[in-house]
Amino acid sequence: MTTPWSPSRLGNLTGKRIIVTGATNGVGLGTARLLAGAGAHVIMAVRNTELGKRRAEEIGGSTSVLKLDLADQASVRAFPELLDGDVDILINNAGALSQQRADTVDGFEMTIGTNLLGPFALTNLLFPRVRSQIINVGSDAHKSATLRLDDMHLRTHKWTVMGAYARSKLAVMLWGLELDRRLRAAGSPVVAQLTHPGWVASNLSHLSDKGPLAIAHRAVKAVADVLANDIEEGAAPTLYCISEPIPPGSYVGVDGRFGLRGGPVLIGRSAVACDYRAAARVFEFAEHETGTTLPV
């Protein structure tokens, strides 16, 4: 019988510096808490720094809180100036699910702007200061997505809440595929992995309790509070990438039925998410929109 994975597998991370985006709530908070508990210095990159400071006090250990709004490219570009020194690991955890179609201050569709273009630019800008690993939080929602490379901002095709979210996560999966390819081709010491946290109840907290989705939100959350992973279980696939000797480019999810909950394991991705040609086009789209590229 195999022993279930546990955070003790992280060992002693004293001396390691790790950025976690979106570290005030949900999986990001669980990730930050467990990394700090293992001795790492956790740089909490968050929109709300006041909440971030309160979370840092609750977490304890060695932490710092820096301002980062992934929906604002100016904030992304300012972030490296706020960061002191290099880091060992960059965890692109933060993500958004919007209730209605909106554009970022840069004119990007909000979901793709926050979930892909913000982390993409951040990774490129920080890359010279990342020593060992980049972990991008994707989602099995990508398996239901239609990519629409000709309309990534959904300006002509129909926009739906879950359609936009799934597409953004498919784009993240393809970015991760091309990122891994480029790192290996360049012989970089930095490795990249993708993760799927499973179904985590707290990740629904960004949906409002007002408006047309309110009743559905409350019903789903009531079920999720009973059946879904808690935030530390949701963090496990990300932490598994740090603690286990897995190959570069791996996709780590959960072993439960339908990918909803369970312990961390290597999992498969959709055929589209394995398409290197589509991955290159997503990378080119993100380069064009953000004006950044990976300096390898």
Side-chain angles (χ1 to χ4, degrees):
M1 182 177 176
T2 58
T3 303
W5 185 90
S6 75
S8 65
R9 293 282 300 173
L10 288 168
N12 186 350
L13 296 180
T14 300
K16 299 292 185 183
R17 288 166 51 85
I18 303 174
I19 296 173
V20 181
T21 67
T24 51
N25 292 292
V27 171
L29 177 60
T31 301
R33 181 189 295 156
L34 291 171
L35 288 172
H41 176 73
V42 181
I43 299 153
M44 303 169 69
V46 301
R47 284 184 303 171
N48 184 339
T49 54
E50 288 305 312
L51 178 57
K53 289 171 185 174
R54 292 201 297 273
R55 294 289 192 244
E57 290 176 4
E58 294 165 7
I59 288 171
S62 178
T63 60
S64 54
V65 178
L66 298 181
K67 173 77 173 178
L68 175 67
D69 183 352
L70 290 168
D72 183 346
Q73 288 284 308
S75 176
V76 173
R77 289 179 180 278
F79 184 83
E81 298 300 317
L82 304 176
L83 181 66
D84 178 24
D86 294 345
V87 296
D88 294 281
I89 302 170
L90 168 62
I91 300 175
N92 287 310
N93 165 85
L97 187 155
S98 303
Q99 286 198 78
Q100 56 191 6
R101 197 196 185 289
D103 284 345
T104 69
V105 293
D106 303 289
F108 305 148
E109 187 275 320
M110 183 64 73
T111 317
I112 200 89
T114 306
N115 294 355
L116 172 69
L117 298 175
F120 179 88
L122 180 70
T123 299
N124 293 338
L125 294 167
L126 288 179
F127 183 76
R129 298 163 68 178
V130 177
R131 298 187 188 112
S132 63
Q133 194 171 20
I134 299 163
I135 302 170
N136 292 330
V137 177
S139 171
D140 260 11
H142 83 269
K143 294 178 178 177
S144 67
T146 302
L147 189 58
R148 304 205 186 285
L149 283 163
D150 60 337
D151 186 24
M152 293 293 282
H153 294 291
L154 289 177
R155 291 177 178 135
T156 57
H157 290 86
K158 183 180 180 182
W159 186 97
T160 63
V161 173
M162 289 311 299
Y165 179 77
R167 284 179 63 261
S168 75
K169 287 301 186 179
L170 176 54
V172 168
M173 298 293 294
L174 288 164
W175 164 41
L177 187 70
E178 177 67 4
L179 175 61
D180 170 62
R181 188 198 68 77
R182 291 190 182 205
L183 292 173
R184 286 187 288 109
S188 174
V190 178
V191 299
Q193 279 104 10
L194 288 153
T195 68
H196 162 59
W199 187 23
V200 181
S202 64
N203 281 7
L204 297 167
S205 62
H206 52 264
L207 289 178
S208 172
D209 279 322
K210 299 177 181 178
L213 293 180
I215 296 174
H217 172 213
R218 286 194 291 269
V220 171
K221 193 173 187 310
V223 175
D225 285 340
V226 177
L227 299 179
N229 280 340
D230 64 29
I231 61 172
E232 293 191 354
E233 290 169 331
T238 294
L239 302 177
Y240 187 90
C241 293
I242 297 171
S243 71
E244 307 307 309
I246 61 175
S250 293
Y251 180 38
V252 179
V254 295
D255 61 5
R257 198 173 182 189
F258 306 120
L260 295 179
R261 65 175 303 175
V265 291
L266 295 179
I267 60 173
R269 59 196 97 187
S270 72
V272 176
C274 299
D275 185 337
Y276 280 96
R277 200 170 291 176
R281 290 186 63 187
V282 166
F283 209 94
E284 289 165 7
F285 158 77
E287 286 177 321
H288 177 268
E289 296 295 78
T290 66
T292 69
T293 192
L294 188 72
V296 294

